[in-house]
Amino acid sequence: NGGSVNIGSNVIFQNNTTKGEMDTVNWQGNAGGALALQNGSKSVIGDAVKFESNGGKENTMSGGAIYLSRNDLQIGNDAAFSSNSSAGQGGAIYSGDSNVTIGNGAVFENNESRTGGAIYNYGSTNDRTSNINIGDNATFSGNTASNNGGAAANYSGEFNVGSGAEFSGNTA
């Protein structure tokens, strides 16, 4: 809890998961297979960062790759999120009361969750907004949600994607 994280370019997060019990009745449990950022200041991740096969529906509740709660995150250009999963919300990214900016050329493919196959955005408090801003030429393909939002689910705040984006083969 707290603080910030700064990660350089060309970093790979692969096959990271959470441990412990999940409660699928009350939808509570572990979050952020690769990164969990809570109650902090702005964190920055460089260009060409890859998040692959993080989380897992059997042990990660929210944010297969990244879980954000009351935090701001900036990710550089050409980020790739593939085959990440969670049992609850946000196969790749869960953003609650947070602001996320992702540069141009982001790719979200084959991520899976219950709600928001790739991204879940939720603002729950009056003192913070929850916004997702993704640059130009983003690709969302093959993402799956068993409930709502094959590519993304936005329950409060803003979800903005730049020009030239492609959404294909996402299902809910």
Side-chain angles (χ1 to χ4, degrees):
N1 279 336
S4 66
V5 173
N6 294 297
I7 298 169
S9 297
N10 299 306
V11 175
I12 298 171
F13 293 86
Q14 188 174 38
N15 297 319
N16 298 290
T17 190
T18 58
K19 291 186 177 185
E21 298 290 320
M22 281 196 320
D23 176 358
T24 56
V25 173
N26 297 307
W27 291 103
Q28 297 175 350
N30 304 308
L35 295 172
L37 306 171
Q38 301 179 64
N39 303 318
S41 57
K42 185 174 186 174
S43 294
V44 177
I45 298 175
D47 295 334
V49 175
K50 295 180 181 180
F51 292 86
E52 183 177 324
S53 301
N54 296 292
K57 293 189 337 180
E58 58 283 338
N59 52 11
T60 301
M61 183 56 67
S62 299
I66 299 174
Y67 174 87
L68 295 163
S69 177
R70 301 183 64 79
N71 203 301
D72 295 333
L73 175 63
Q74 178 180 334
I75 300 174
N77 295 323
D78 302 316
F81 295 84
S82 63
S83 302
N84 300 289
S85 62
S86 72
Q89 303 88 17
I93 298 173
Y94 173 97
S95 175
D97 298 325
S98 299
N99 294 298
V100 179
T101 301
I102 301 173
N104 298 328
V107 174
F108 294 87
E109 62 183 2
N110 301 321
N111 298 289
E112 183 179 0
S113 72
R114 181 173 181 262
T115 305
I119 298 174
Y120 180 87
N121 186 40
Y122 180 75
S124 63
T125 63
N126 293 329
D127 65 329
R128 276 188 72 93
T129 58
S130 195
N131 300 307
I132 305 277
N133 296 293
I134 300 173
D136 296 338
N137 303 313
T139 301
F140 289 81
S141 67
N143 299 292
T144 304
S146 59
N147 193 7
N148 298 316
N154 185 45
Y155 285 94
S156 181
E158 295 182 10
F159 185 86
N160 303 301
V161 178
S163 62
E166 179 183 336
F167 290 80
S168 65
N170 301 291
T171 58

